[in-house]
Amino acid sequence: MRSFALVPFGAYTRILLRAHAGHIVTVMAALLMLALTLDLAQRGERLIAQSGQTSLPALVLHVGRYMVLRLADLIPVLLPLGSFMGLFWSEITLTQTRERVAVWNGGRTPLQSLAPILLIGAVLGLVQIACLGWLRPAAVGVQIAERLGSYGTRFDRTPGAGGERWIKLPDHLIRARIDYPARALMDVDLFETTREGRLTGRLRAERGEPLGDGRWRFDRGSRWTGPPDGVPDFTRGTGEARWFDTETLALPLEPLWLAWLGVDARHIPTGQLGELAGMAHRLPDGPAYRTWWHVRFAQVLLPLGMMLVASALSMMMIGQRVAFGAMMAVGLTGYFLHVSINIAVWLGEYGRIPAVVATWLVPLVLIGTGLYLMLRLQQPGRRPAAAMA
């Protein structure tokens, strides 16, 4: 058997590169068309109503622009599955045309055929992190700014949008409307409590603004402070109440977190998401910020891992002939892996497992599994086509 050596830009690599890329692009186009069709079926009427356009060309441009913005959100969701299914399709054609048998009988081993997968995996990995870290947040930001589509409604950042919100903090409970651009509170009703939940004070104000270093300034309101031990009686009274023009209070409320309150962590720009992930230990949604910060780096490995597993399973199960049962098994494995990736990220978002485990484990396991299966196929007699030599 020949010694192992990759030929990154040889003729065989270029041929397989074009074949794999063509199948992956075709599968991704089909998946995106299906996803966009379902999206428009659900939101088409609202989108047309939001446009305010009366002429058909203007309406078509409006819907077309929305679809382009939605693509930035859909591509990173579907690319791992599309890379698996596209490469699986390509492997099926290699079996049907007997090209794999001819190549193996010529002495080229599975590992010596890795170069096209590695090259495509590198490109798709960069596409994945570009979409996750830049294109998706930018596209969602445009929809929010223009109040376009479902994101424009759900994540509306105009002052007071969404009405009153309840915010639970250590030793504090806040009811207020949010001025998102200014990172401030409006119509504030703040309750001070003990760790056991006993009320020790209450502050009401027209507005609250951050001063930095964990201090907030509240304007035009009143404050009630309970008795020292929290138990009112006739001798010590029921606490002290007073009006104020300005009141400063130490409050563990992060202005940046307030600005993005209600927006999913996956849609926050990378720079600000990094800041939120750095202070995750003191934020209510800390695990979600930390998880999606890691996702934007870990998923650079995901397309490669999915393609390695797809290629290895195809060589093992349909290397000699294409059987319906084997095809279904490989296809369902790809879907199961796609679901597993999402479940792992969800578990990280809700703090059930550490963010590093939720985001890095699956891509690394996929790459390790794919390489392990290919190493097994290196061994004499392991390849299904070996008997045909």
Side-chain angles (χ1 to χ4, degrees), residues 237-354:
T238 58
E240 176 186 355
R242 58 186 176 83
W243 296 93
F244 62 82
D245 291 324
T246 299
E247 182 83 358
T248 301
L249 182 68
L251 190 64
L253 179 61
E254 293 292 340
L256 180 59
W257 176 82
L258 190 67
W260 291 103
L261 180 62
V263 177
D264 297 337
R266 73 190 70 189
H267 299 131
I268 299 176
T270 299
Q272 297 182 45
L273 180 61
E275 293 183 48
L276 292 168
M279 61 179 80
H281 60 282
R282 59 178 187 270
L283 296 178
D285 303 319
Y289 298 130
R290 192 182 291 115
T291 297
W292 278 99
W293 171 251
H294 281 283
V295 163
R296 295 189 181 183
F297 299 96
Q299 290 203 358
V300 69
L301 303 175
L302 201 50
L304 175 61
M306 293 289 277
M307 288 191 295
L308 285 173
V309 173
S311 181
L313 289 178
S314 299
M315 292 180 190
M316 293 181 67
M317 302 183 69
I318 60 170
Q320 184 173 342
R321 65 186 182 87
V322 178
F324 178 77
M327 287 177 54
M328 289 297 297
V330 177
L332 289 174
T333 299
Y335 179 75
F336 170 77
L337 292 175
H338 177 69
V339 173
S340 299
I341 293 163
N342 292 325
I343 290 176
V345 172
W346 293 337
L347 290 173
E349 278 190 273
Y350 290 103
R352 297 295 184 265
I353 59 177

Side-chain angles (χ1 to χ4, degrees), residues 44-124:
E45 291 184 9
R46 179 187 299 177
L47 187 65
I48 293 173
Q50 288 176 336
S51 69
Q53 303 292 340
T54 56
S55 65
L56 181 60
L59 182 59
V60 170
L61 287 175
H62 178 79
V63 174
R65 184 167 178 269
Y66 169 77
M67 293 174 66
V68 171
L69 293 172
R70 285 293 291 144
L71 281 176
D73 193 32
L74 293 171
I75 288 175
V77 176
L78 298 174
L79 186 58
L81 179 62
S83 61
F84 184 100
M85 293 302 180
L87 193 77
F88 178 41
W89 181 13
S90 191
E91 294 285 350
I92 290 174
T93 62
L94 292 177
T95 299
Q96 289 176 328
T97 60
R98 299 298 184 186
E99 183 175 347
R100 177 183 289 108
V101 175
V103 169
W104 281 358
N105 290 343
R108 184 183 289 268
T109 66
L111 283 178
Q112 289 171 318
S113 303
L114 270 182
I117 296 177
L118 295 176
L119 292 172
I120 295 175
V123 173
L124 294 183

